[in-house]
Amino acid sequence: MRSPSDYISRRSLGVDASGIRKVFDLAAKMKDPINLSIGLPDFDVPEPAKIAAIEAIRAGHNRYTQTQGIAPLRDRLRRDMSAEFGRDIGEVLITSGVTGGLMLAMLATIDPGDEAIFLDPYFVMYKHLLTLIGGKPIAVASYPDFRFRAERVEAAITPRTKLLILNSPSNPTGVVMSRQEVAAAVEVARKHDLLIISDEIYEPFLYGSERLASPAKAYDRTIVLRGFSKSHAMTGWRLGYAAGCESVIAAMTKLQQYTYICAPSPLQYAALAALDVSMADAVAAYGRKRDMVVQMLGGKFQIVKPDGAFYIFPQAPTGASASDFVTRAIENNVLIIPGNVFSERDTHFRISYATTDEKIARGCEILCSLA
Ligand code: PLP
């Protein structure tokens, strides 16, 4: 006879969520934590987008949309991205968050045993989604500076390698790939016939003067994934989009039909309004928070100055594992995430500075006193 746990598939058992769960368990015991662990902006959805969402609901946009998303939003995104990349970007599919785009891109391309390469530290989902669908996640170390090194990536390529997943600006490091690094990644992909999945969800959060260097500009075998969760603080609205290589987008669209069906209908109309809202002030404020964190932690911790997103990934003080350091931080009321949640190593920790200046200052002070 089966016990209830016997119903759980090997696929599900293959995914381990213990690292992050441990942090949340510890956090649940904290009274009023200085929370530097949150992966979403601390500003609210812009008012025009809220109004557009309410109006779309009132206007009756409450049914399924076409699987690929509403035409005005897809047209607008195709126009904007084509102008940005200097070529027609190809088909656009509106997804249920970038997570939906990642899931569909992997389902559309990965056969059991196929390999996908990404840099370590990595956004946790890459590893687990790949495992879930029977692919093989290959994490290539980018320590100590979190830069793309073609020779390390090439050394990890096998005849089963199909995807190169890039994430710039990066979660958890905040590092932004330079033009040269992107060119090197494209060269590797071209040489080895790899499809690039470029997760650009943090694209609006750039603190230098240049726009994001995207592989989509030079390499048409790229799927760009972007979304509204971070740019407009709409993590709960579940809106993202995928664009690029037409045969892959067509396969993703087919799969969306049998999984998510479509992205939330009224919110697709609201996204159209959101695209006309300037987020420049919010980004500038995050740039100042980045400077503050770098300035406060730089003297006590080994850091790589981030140029984007809202994370920094300092090295834990020597002599302790990062997990031990994080436990001490949590005992002192500062919630941060141990690096081994994002990495095969347990040497660093992630701070999110998407919070108030006051919390950043208090949190950094405590972390420095523990270092
Ligand atoms: N990609 C990266 C790098 C992320 O950090 C996140 C969310 O934290 C996602 C994708 C998923 O975002 P979404 O809310 O659009 O599914």
Coordinates of all heavy atoms in Angstrom, one line a residue, residues 237-269:
W237 N 1.4 40.5 -10.2 CA 0.6 40.6 -11.4 C 0.9 39.5 -12.5 O 0.2 39.2 -13.4 CB 0.7 42.0 -12.1 CG 0.0 43.1 -11.4 CD1 -0.3 43.1 -10.0 CD2 -0.5 44.3 -11.9 NE1 -1.0 44.2 -9.7 CE2 -1.1 45.0 -10.8 CE3 -0.4 44.9 -13.2 CZ2 -1.6 46.3 -11.0 CZ3 -1.0 46.1 -13.3 CH2 -1.6 46.8 -12.3
R238 N 2.1 38.9 -12.3 CA 2.5 37.8 -13.2 C 2.6 38.2 -14.6 O 1.8 37.6 -15.5 CB 1.7 36.5 -12.9 CG 1.5 36.1 -11.5 CD 2.8 36.1 -10.7 NE 3.8 35.3 -11.2 CZ 5.1 35.7 -11.4 NH1 5.5 36.9 -11.0 NH2 6.0 34.9 -11.9
L239 N 3.4 39.1 -15.0 CA 3.5 39.6 -16.4 C 5.0 39.6 -16.8 O 5.8 40.3 -16.2 CB 2.9 41.0 -16.5 CG 1.4 41.1 -16.7 CD1 1.1 42.6 -16.8 CD2 1.0 40.4 -18.0
G240 N 5.2 38.9 -17.9 CA 6.6 39.0 -18.5 C 6.4 38.8 -20.0 O 5.3 38.7 -20.5
Y241 N 7.5 38.8 -20.7 CA 7.5 38.5 -22.1 C 8.7 37.9 -22.6 O 9.8 38.1 -22.0 CB 7.1 39.8 -22.9 CG 7.9 41.0 -22.6 CD1 9.0 41.4 -23.4 CD2 7.6 41.8 -21.5 CE1 9.7 42.6 -23.2 CE2 8.3 43.0 -21.2 CZ 9.3 43.4 -22.1 OH 10.0 44.5 -21.8
A242 N 8.6 37.2 -23.7 CA 9.7 36.5 -24.3 C 9.7 36.9 -25.8 O 8.7 37.1 -26.4 CB 9.5 35.0 -24.3
A243 N 10.9 37.2 -26.3 CA 11.0 37.6 -27.7 C 12.3 37.0 -28.3 O 13.2 36.8 -27.7 CB 11.1 39.1 -27.7
G244 N 12.2 36.9 -29.6 CA 13.4 36.4 -30.4 C 13.1 35.3 -31.3 O 12.0 35.2 -31.9
C245 N 14.1 34.4 -31.4 CA 14.1 33.3 -32.3 C 12.7 32.7 -32.6 O 12.1 32.1 -31.7 CB 15.1 32.3 -31.7 SG 15.6 30.9 -32.7
E246 N 12.2 32.8 -33.8 CA 10.8 32.6 -34.0 C 10.3 31.2 -33.8 O 9.3 30.9 -33.3 CB 10.4 33.1 -35.4 CG 10.6 34.6 -35.6 CD 9.9 35.3 -36.6 OE1 9.0 34.6 -37.3 OE2 10.1 36.5 -36.8
S247 N 11.2 30.2 -34.2 CA 10.7 28.8 -34.0 C 10.6 28.4 -32.6 O 9.7 27.7 -32.2 CB 11.7 27.8 -34.8 OG 13.0 28.1 -34.3
V248 N 11.5 29.0 -31.7 CA 11.4 28.7 -30.3 C 10.2 29.4 -29.7 O 9.5 28.8 -28.9 CB 12.7 29.1 -29.6 CG1 12.6 28.9 -28.1 CG2 13.9 28.4 -30.2
I249 N 10.0 30.7 -30.1 CA 8.8 31.4 -29.6 C 7.5 30.6 -30.0 O 6.6 30.5 -29.2 CB 8.8 32.9 -30.0 CG1 10.0 33.6 -29.5 CG2 7.4 33.5 -29.6 CD1 9.9 33.9 -28.0
A250 N 7.5 30.1 -31.2 CA 6.3 29.4 -31.6 C 6.1 28.1 -30.8 O 5.0 27.8 -30.4 CB 6.5 29.0 -33.1
A251 N 7.2 27.4 -30.4 CA 7.0 26.2 -29.6 C 6.6 26.6 -28.2 O 5.8 26.0 -27.6 CB 8.4 25.5 -29.5
M252 N 7.1 27.7 -27.7 CA 6.7 28.2 -26.4 C 5.3 28.6 -26.3 O 4.5 28.3 -25.4 CB 7.6 29.4 -25.9 CG 9.0 29.1 -25.7 SD 10.1 30.6 -25.5 CE 9.4 31.3 -24.0
T253 N 4.8 29.2 -27.4 CA 3.4 29.6 -27.5 C 2.5 28.4 -27.5 O 1.5 28.3 -26.8 CB 3.2 30.4 -28.8 OG1 4.1 31.5 -28.8 CG2 1.8 31.0 -28.9
K254 N 2.9 27.4 -28.2 CA 2.1 26.1 -28.3 C 2.0 25.5 -26.8 O 1.0 25.1 -26.4 CB 2.8 25.1 -29.2 CG 2.1 23.8 -29.3 CD 2.7 22.9 -30.4 CE 4.0 22.3 -29.9 NZ 4.7 21.4 -30.9
L255 N 3.2 25.6 -26.1 CA 3.2 25.0 -24.8 C 2.4 25.9 -23.8 O 1.8 25.4 -22.8 CB 4.6 24.8 -24.3 CG 5.4 23.8 -25.1 CD1 6.9 23.8 -24.7 CD2 4.9 22.4 -24.9
Q256 N 2.4 27.2 -24.0 CA 1.6 28.1 -23.1 C 0.1 27.7 -23.2 O -0.6 27.8 -22.2 CB 1.8 29.5 -23.5 CG 0.9 30.5 -22.8 CD 1.6 31.8 -22.3 OE1 2.5 31.7 -21.4 NE2 1.3 32.9 -22.8
Q257 N -0.3 27.3 -24.4 CA -1.7 27.0 -24.6 C -2.1 25.8 -23.7 O -3.3 25.8 -23.2 CB -1.8 26.5 -26.0 CG -3.1 26.7 -26.7 CD -3.0 26.5 -28.2 OE1 -1.9 26.7 -28.8 NE2 -4.0 26.1 -28.8
Y258 N -1.2 24.9 -23.3 CA -1.6 23.8 -22.5 C -1.1 23.9 -21.1 O -1.1 23.0 -20.3 CB -1.0 22.5 -23.1 CG -1.6 22.2 -24.5 CD1 -0.8 22.2 -25.6 CD2 -3.0 22.1 -24.6 CE1 -1.4 21.9 -26.9 CE2 -3.6 21.8 -25.8 CZ -2.8 21.8 -27.0 OH -3.3 21.5 -28.2
T259 N -0.6 25.1 -20.7 CA -0.1 25.3 -19.3 C -0.7 26.5 -18.7 O -1.7 26.4 -18.0 CB 1.5 25.4 -19.3 OG1 1.9 26.3 -20.3 CG2 2.1 24.0 -19.6
Y260 N -0.2 27.7 -19.1 CA -0.7 28.9 -18.5 C -1.9 29.5 -19.2 O -2.6 30.3 -18.7 CB 0.4 30.0 -18.5 CG 1.7 29.6 -17.8 CD1 2.7 29.0 -18.5 CD2 1.8 29.8 -16.4 CE1 3.9 28.6 -17.8 CE2 3.0 29.4 -15.8 CZ 4.0 28.8 -16.5 OH 5.2 28.5 -15.8
I261 N -2.1 29.0 -20.5 CA -3.2 29.5 -21.4 C -2.8 30.9 -21.9 O -2.6 31.2 -23.0 CB -4.6 29.5 -20.8 CG1 -4.9 28.0 -20.5 CG2 -5.6 30.0 -21.9 CD1 -6.4 27.8 -20.0
C262 N -2.8 31.9 -20.9 CA -2.4 33.2 -21.3 C -2.0 33.9 -20.0 O -2.2 33.5 -18.9 CB -3.5 34.0 -22.0 SG -5.0 34.2 -20.9
A263 N -1.3 35.1 -20.2 CA -1.0 35.9 -19.0 C -2.3 36.6 -18.6 O -3.3 36.7 -19.4 CB 0.0 36.9 -19.4
P264 N -2.4 37.1 -17.4 CA -3.6 37.7 -16.9 C -4.1 38.8 -17.8 O -3.4 39.8 -18.1 CB -3.2 38.3 -15.5 CG -2.1 37.4 -15.1 CD -1.4 37.0 -16.3
S265 N -5.4 38.7 -18.2 CA -5.9 39.5 -19.3 C -6.0 41.0 -19.0 O -5.4 41.8 -19.7 CB -7.3 38.9 -19.6 OG -8.0 39.8 -20.4
P266 N -6.7 41.4 -17.9 CA -6.7 42.9 -17.7 C -5.4 43.5 -17.4 O -5.1 44.7 -17.8 CB -7.6 43.0 -16.4 CG -7.7 41.7 -15.8 CD -7.4 40.7 -16.9
L267 N -4.5 42.7 -16.9 CA -3.2 43.3 -16.5 C -2.3 43.4 -17.7 O -1.4 44.2 -17.7 CB -2.5 42.4 -15.5 CG -3.4 42.1 -14.2 CD1 -2.7 41.3 -13.2 CD2 -3.8 43.5 -13.6
Q268 N -2.6 42.7 -18.8 CA -1.9 43.0 -20.1 C -2.2 44.4 -20.6 O -1.4 45.1 -21.1 CB -2.3 41.9 -21.1 CG -1.8 40.6 -20.8 CD -2.1 39.6 -22.0 OE1 -1.7 39.9 -23.1 NE2 -2.7 38.5 -21.7
Y269 N -3.5 44.8 -20.4 CA -3.9 46.2 -20.8 C -3.2 47.2 -19.9 O -2.7 48.2 -20.3 CB -5.4 46.4 -20.7 CG -6.1 45.6 -21.8 CD1 -6.5 44.3 -21.6 CD2 -6.3 46.2 -23.1 CE1 -7.1 43.5 -22.6 CE2 -6.9 45.4 -24.1 CZ -7.3 44.1 -23.9 OH -7.9 43.4 -24.9

